[in-house]
Structures are given as C-alpha cells and as structure tokens.
Amino acid sequence: MDVVPGANAGFPVDDDGDDGSKEAADLEAIFDVPVNVSAVLGRSRMDVGELLKLGPGTVLELDRKVGEAIDIYVNDRLVARGEVVLVEDRLGVTMTEIIKAER
C-alpha cells in the first residue's frame, strides 16, 4: 500500500485497482473515535432582552414547518436530513437524505 498526499489526507491507498473501495477492517482503527451528533429541529433569532423573558410554558417559534425535514450534523457539519420518530417513549431520528460532502 502507498500513502498518497492530497485528496486522501495521507490515508493508505490500495493499488489493486478496486477503485479505492475499503472494507470495514481497513477502517477499524477509527471505529472508536467519538463524534458529536446533533439533530436540529429549527432555529430562532431574538434579542437578549427577549431571551431573558423566556420561562416555563413559553412557545418558541422556529424557522421550520411541521413535517419539514430536520438537519443532522456530525461535528458541526451537515451530513443528512431526516424525520423525528418516536421509539417507545423516546425521540429518535430517521435519516431520509444523505448530504454529499463538497470537496
């Protein structure tokens, strides 16, 4: 295997002509790397004065409509869109669209 600088960021590349596809075993070293995953329902903008007036029972209007896809971020990078689902008594997210990274 050779290390190719640039697009592969120094990761080893197989030269056996299989289009660079990797098997899970090739990536095993990064399986335990922690990442932050966020599911954003929507956003709102307000002045500090308005923020200080918020309390229990206050409804905060978001920039999304009911049923609109939510954004899923990994380490602050948008990676997917999805829908909120209920799993037993907990909220979850079903990914409906994977966002391709721009290079």
Side-chain angles (χ1 to χ4, degrees):
M1 292 209 287
D2 296 327
V3 175
V4 178
N8 294 315
F11 290 102
V13 176
D14 287 332
D15 286 333
D16 58 4
D18 66 349
D19 294 335
S21 64
K22 300 284 183 216
E23 293 183 25
D26 294 336
L27 301 174
E28 195 169 325
I30 65 169
F31 284 176
D32 292 330
V33 175
V35 295
N36 293 317
V37 179
S38 303
V40 178
L41 298 173
R43 300 180 191 277
S44 184
R45 186 171 183 89
M46 64 181 60
D47 297 328
V48 173
E50 294 174 275
L51 179 67
L52 294 173
K53 293 178 186 175
L54 296 178
T58 302
V59 175
L60 181 61
E61 187 176 338
L62 302 175
D63 62 351
R64 303 275 174 100
K65 295 183 170 125
V66 173
E68 192 172 338
I70 63 168
D71 293 333
I72 302 166
Y73 289 85
V74 174
N75 287 346
D76 298 321
R77 176 178 282 196
L78 180 64
V79 296
R81 291 207 169 80
E83 298 174 352
V84 176
V85 295
L86 187 61
V87 180
E88 295 180 15
D89 63 339
R90 302 181 73 132
L91 290 177
V93 177
T94 299
M95 289 189 201
T96 57
E97 175 188 359
I98 303 297
I99 308 297
K100 291 186 178 183
E102 294 180 20
R103 296 273 169 177

